[in-house]
């Protein structure tokens, strides 16, 4: 599904400003906010403003969107001081992938070392 907005979507409501968040970056395409329950010293969520349910719904036409998201993630990693030692950008898809909010988002996590593969 790829609509501008989906009723009762938590992240659509955050994008709309109906639910407060700590914004790290905002432009016409991308919103980046601090995760409410951080699992790393730096834990930021990057999402498209428009509703996309998950990475499974992306198409070749979303290439620009993905470039904007990953470029913003790299900028934020530098400004957060986590770029040097390295960091992780991950998106979860579906229940077994660990997705709990069905609005595409990428976790930007850093400030500690991560294991591979993830648990
Ligand atoms: P997922 O489990 O879908 O990959 O990631 C969802 C993330 O959203 C979780 O890390 C969770 O802590 C975060 N989250 C859930 N509700 C809120 C909220 O209301 N505000 C913010 N900033 N993050 C949230
Ligand atoms: Zn949404």
């Amino acid at each position: 599904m790829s609509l501008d907005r989906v009723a009762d979507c938590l992240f659509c409501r955050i994008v709309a400003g109906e639910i407060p968040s700590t914004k790290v970056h905002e432009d016409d395409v991308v919103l980046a906010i601090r995760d409410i329950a951080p699992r790393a010293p730096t834990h930021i969520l990057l999402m498209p403003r428009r509703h996309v349910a998950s990475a499974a719904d992306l198409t070749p036409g979303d290439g620009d969107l993905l470039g904007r998201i990953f470029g913003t993630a790299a900028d934020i990693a530098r400004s957060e001081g986590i770029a040097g030692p390295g960091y992780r950008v991950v998106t979860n898809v579906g229940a077994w992938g660990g997705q709990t909010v069905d609005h595409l988002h990428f976790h930007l996590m850093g400030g500690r070392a991560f294991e591979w593969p993830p648990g």
Side-chain angles (χ1 to χ4, degrees):
M1 190 184 331
S2 181
L3 304 169
D4 278 352
R5 174 170 183 163
V6 166
D8 297 329
C9 170
L10 174 65
F11 286 175
C12 281
R13 296 192 68 194
I14 286 178
V15 166
E18 296 169 6
I19 294 174
S21 65
T22 303
K23 293 176 184 171
V24 178
H25 170 91
E26 184 173 30
D27 61 39
D28 57 326
V29 174
V30 180
L31 174 66
I33 62 174
R34 295 201 186 275
D35 196 292
I36 202 168
R39 301 298 187 95
T42 297
H43 188 170
I44 290 164
L45 305 173
L46 297 104
M47 65 191 74
R49 298 187 72 91
R50 97 178 138 85
H51 185 88
V52 178
S54 82
D57 296 273
L58 292 165
T59 69
D62 294 312
D64 184 62
L65 169 67
L66 289 172
R68 295 277 292 265
I69 288 174
F70 277 89
T72 302
D75 288 344
I76 294 172
R78 283 187 283 270
S79 63
E80 292 281 319
I82 61 172
Y87 55 92
R88 184 166 289 177
V89 180
V90 64
T91 190
N92 300 323
V93 178
W96 278 31
Q99 185 176 12
T100 59
V101 179
D102 290 337
H103 179 129
L104 176 66
H105 53 282
F106 293 82
H107 299 257
L108 167 61
M109 307 175 78
R112 66 172 173 85
F114 298 98
E115 296 182 356
W116 190 262

